[in-house]
Amino acid sequence: MPRRARVDPVAIASVGLHGVAAVADLTALGMPSSTIARRVQAGHARRVLRGVVKEGPDEPTDDQRAAAALLYAGERSVISGGEALRRHGLTDPSPRRRILVVVDAQRQRTSSAFVEIERTERLPAAQLVDGLAIAPLERAVIDTVRREDRLDVVRGVLTEVVQKGRTTVARLAAELAAGSQRGSALPRRVLRDELGAGVRSVAEAWARELHAESELPRVLWNPRLYDPSGTFIAQADGFFPDVGLAWEIDSVQHHFLLPDWDKTLRRRARMQAFGLVVAHTRPSRTRTERAAVVEELWGSYRLAASRPCPDLRIVAA
């Protein structure tokens, strides 16, 4: 018979993760379940989930919640969704939502407390992040947006990961096509109609909607502009190629830090030095002052059309 153990940090560390452990693993050490129950009742330990405990009465940390979710779900379980996004260094759009854990389709486990269980025939190969089994980036992104019914939230998740160069539109589209089609309509629309057209932010998606509903000429989204010698000039948010008009969407959030603002001013100066007309619009105005923005763009367009169009090479996003 194994020696009986106490519910203490040493015992938990020997079978647990981030200071939490499965009751079944503790009893396998020789710790009676009655001892675990008494210590929980006395406040010396805490029940985090059914069958998962931690030493001490304090609230579990984020790491402990994530570890508890994996221990509750059982072997080969993988954290996905917003929690996985956060651990990949991206934004969790709904941080108060339950932790999504994907398990093998044959596993009999149900959602509980702060854990959402999803059975899948496509169990991803986990990546270890801080000792936790985390879904690959593309899977985490798609599992997140499939659960969102807010268009701008879907846009935010998808544009962030592409804008930061962490993955591509093609890889996200492939992951979306390969998985469950439940909740796929909005992300499919954003990937195909917006990111596929070069849009790289929620603000640019709003601008694209405004442009589509106006009678303004054709615009390219996020093209890279070069002079005839091949020297890079800038990447414009929007660009009217027939007259050489750049449309900059001035996001306050993006330009809040001085280095970002300085970088923006330098980019505009390069475009203007090369003879481009540059129009500026705050994102909120594309929602609240649509007619005025369209009229301003027409004015900038006419100004650009009155000048010789600069000779440049345009590379689409």
Side-chain angles (χ1 to χ4, degrees):
M1 291 287 291
R3 181 174 61 84
R4 290 189 174 186
R6 294 180 56 197
V7 187
D8 58 27
V10 174
I12 287 178
S14 68
V15 294
L17 183 63
H18 286 294
V20 297
V23 170
D25 292 334
L26 292 172
T27 57
L29 285 179
M31 186 182 305
S33 58
S34 58
T35 299
I36 300 172
R38 282 197 303 271
R39 288 186 64 78
V40 169
Q41 187 174 16
H44 301 306
R46 182 180 182 124
R47 180 176 177 267
V48 184
L49 288 165
R50 187 170 67 249
V52 182
V53 296
K54 65 178 289 295
E55 175 67 10
D58 51 307
E59 288 284 342
T61 65
D62 289 344
D63 284 346
Q64 288 175 330
R65 283 165 53 90
L70 289 172
L71 290 169
Y72 169 77
E75 62 182 19
R76 296 186 64 220
S77 57
V78 181
I79 291 174
S80 190
E83 179 70 16
L85 278 189
R86 186 173 69 83
R87 293 181 181 275
H88 278 295
L90 297 167
T91 304
D92 179 355
S94 303
R96 292 180 179 84
R97 176 175 286 172
R98 294 191 293 180
I99 296 175
L100 173 65
V101 183
V102 291
V103 300
D104 186 87
Q106 305 306 313
R107 186 166 186 80
Q108 297 303 308
R109 183 64 80 185
T110 59
S111 301
S112 178
F114 58 83
V115 180
E116 177 187 353
I117 298 293
E118 180 177 284
R119 298 186 184 89
T120 178
E121 299 284 354
R122 298 178 59 249
L123 193 65
Q127 299 177 0
L128 281 182
V129 180
D130 298 326
L132 302 167
I134 304 300
L137 180 60
E138 288 80 12
R139 177 63 175 268
V141 169
I142 296 303
D143 280 348
T144 299
V145 295
R146 283 199 301 106
R147 285 166 170 75
E148 287 291 345
D149 58 6
R150 296 168 292 174
L151 176 58
D152 281 348
V153 174
V154 173
R155 284 168 166 164
V157 173
L158 294 174
T159 56
E160 180 188 21
V161 68
V162 174
Q163 180 68 23
K164 289 183 175 179
R166 299 289 299 278
T167 189
T168 65
V169 175
R171 288 165 64 181
L172 290 170
E175 177 61 39
L176 181 63
S180 170
Q181 295 306 292
R182 186 176 68 251
S184 65
L186 277 183
R188 186 183 306 112
R189 167 184 163 186
V190 172
L191 286 171
R192 181 191 62 224
D193 298 341
E194 297 181 4
L195 273 78
V199 171
R200 292 296 180 266
S201 71
V202 175
E204 288 174 14
W206 295 346
R208 183 180 182 277
E209 288 179 340
L210 179 146
H211 178 269
E213 294 169 7
S214 74
E215 296 182 355
L216 286 161
R218 180 176 70 103
V219 67
L220 303 176
W221 298 104
N222 283 289
R224 296 174 64 84
L225 309 177
Y226 298 84
D227 71 12
S229 69
T231 300
F232 177 68
I233 302 170
Q235 184 169 15
D237 293 336
F239 188 70
F240 295 84
D242 55 334
V243 295
L245 169 63
W247 184 17
E248 293 289 274
I249 314 302
D250 295 331
S251 171
V252 173
Q253 180 179 6
H254 177 71
H255 298 134
F256 183 75
L257 298 176
L258 184 58
D260 291 332
W261 181 239
D262 184 62
K263 183 179 178 181
T264 296
L265 292 179
R266 289 174 181 272
R267 185 176 72 251
R268 291 178 187 170
R270 287 197 303 272
M271 288 190 287
Q272 290 170 335
F274 194 71
L276 299 174
V277 173
V278 183
H280 316 284
T281 303
R282 293 196 313 275
S284 61
R285 297 189 64 223
T286 66
R287 311 296 295 272
T288 61
E289 302 176 44
R290 300 170 71 87
V293 170
V294 170
E295 184 58 34
E296 290 165 9
L297 285 171
W298 270 120
S300 296
Y301 184 89
R302 287 190 289 268
L303 174 61
S306 69
R307 304 177 177 184
C309 187
D311 183 14
L312 72 169
R313 182 165 60 91
I314 304 170
V315 179

